[in-house]
Amino acid sequence: MDGPMRRGYDQLEASLQAVIPSLEQPPKAILVVSAHWEEAVPHVSTHLAPPMLYDYYGFPEHTYHIRYAAPGSPDLGLRVRDLLRAGGMDCREDTQRGFDHGTFSMMQPIRPEADIPIVQLSVLTSFDAAAHIAMGSLLKPLRDEGVLVLGSGLSYHNLRAFGAQGHTASHAFDQWLRDNLAGVEAAPRLAALERWTTAPAALQAHPRPEHLLPLMVIAGAAGQDPCSIQFHQDDFFGGLAVTSFRFG
């Protein structure tokens, strides 16, 4: 989208544009853990040329004709499947799924050239934090193989209390996230994420935690690498505090 509304996302857009230039070299492929794909067991996309999945409603007509033409990577999809299965976690292939908006809206500023292969990975309908951390841990070898692992979600996701209504809850929960992740060693930050429901305003910030779960996978994949803040804004969407984190 463009126009005045877009200006509220300038800081976020700039942080996304900085992702690949900040790496030592561009990734060979990207694995996106998407909050917009929920399955009972992990599913991974293996479409060679993923179509578009417009998984939203009520937006301007042109947003249903957006194209992000990056290729898929069946080989990476199978590698993800094999790593999870080798670790005792079932994983299924999905040969049909296209890019959902959690992927293409994020990837457009990250890589407008759309020339890096992208594979999507689902979160689990169990919403179990430890299972998502374990999933990430099993996928850690991908990082040494030139794969950038991105978690696409939101640190506050209560659509019934969005904008100014969510100010108090989002600031309380977001502060807890920053205190327990940024600059914190791996063991205590993972322990904190496993008990996220005890955090201040946790269930107000995430009545359904699907938008928090990609962070669990990324934290698991990080191993011992340090965590820092990639993006933070206190007045996102009219009053929310939101943060994205970088590991490594």
Side-chain angles (χ1 to χ4, degrees):
M1 298 180 70
D2 214 335
M5 182 177 181
R6 181 169 178 170
R7 300 284 68 81
Y9 301 100
D10 283 347
Q11 295 178 50
L12 175 59
E13 184 174 19
S15 76
L16 294 171
Q17 290 170 336
V19 168
I20 289 181
S22 69
L23 304 175
E24 292 183 4
Q25 57 188 8
K28 297 176 181 177
I30 297 173
L31 177 65
V32 176
V33 185
S34 175
H36 296 275
W37 189 8
E38 301 175 26
E39 299 284 357
V41 300
H43 278 58
V44 63
S45 63
T46 55
H47 201 299
L48 184 60
M52 303 295 289
L53 178 58
Y54 304 115
D55 54 336
Y56 42 77
Y57 58 92
F59 283 83
E61 179 63 25
H62 78 270
T63 64
Y64 299 91
H65 303 280
I66 292 168
R67 295 291 302 166
Y68 187 75
S73 175
D75 288 345
L76 174 57
L78 295 178
R79 175 70 171 139
V80 169
R81 180 201 66 183
D82 291 346
L83 284 170
L84 294 180
R85 287 183 177 178
M89 185 175 288
D90 192 12
C91 181
R92 315 276 175 83
E93 305 156 47
D94 188 316
T95 62
Q96 302 299 315
R97 188 173 177 89
F99 294 142
D100 61 49
H101 80 271
T103 295
F104 66 75
S105 65
M106 177 179 69
M107 287 307 308
Q108 177 60 35
I110 288 178
R111 191 68 170 186
E113 300 89 343
D115 58 351
I116 299 176
I118 297 172
V119 164
Q120 294 180 132
L121 177 65
S122 72
V123 297
L124 303 175
T125 53
S126 68
F127 296 156
D128 182 80
H132 287 84
I133 291 169
M135 189 191 318
S137 181
L138 293 174
L139 297 174
K140 185 177 183 294
L142 295 175
R143 299 175 59 214
D144 294 326
E145 299 168 12
V147 177
L148 175 63
V149 187
L150 292 174
S152 177
L154 193 60
S155 59
Y156 175 89
H157 197 257
N158 183 346
L159 297 182
R160 295 192 176 187
F162 221 63
Q165 297 178 70
H167 179 276
T168 299
S170 71
H171 279 72
F173 184 69
D174 193 77
Q175 186 64 58
W176 179 88
L177 279 177
R178 285 181 280 143
D179 289 345
N180 284 278
L181 293 181
V184 177
E185 293 185 353
R189 74 191 180 212
L190 293 180
L193 286 174
E194 286 197 34
R195 65 173 190 274
W196 74 272
T197 57
T198 67
L203 298 181
Q204 289 75 38
H206 291 280
R208 291 184 86 255
E210 79 283 354
H211 272 70
L212 187 64
L213 298 174
L215 177 62
M216 314 290 188
V217 181
I218 303 306
Q224 300 298 315
D225 281 2
C227 175
S228 59
I229 292 173
Q230 174 81 11
F231 159 75
H232 172 76
Q233 190 169 338
D234 275 320
D235 59 349
F236 189 79
F237 215 89
L240 302 176
V242 296
T243 301
S244 61
F245 298 91
R246 174 179 177 142
F247 296 86

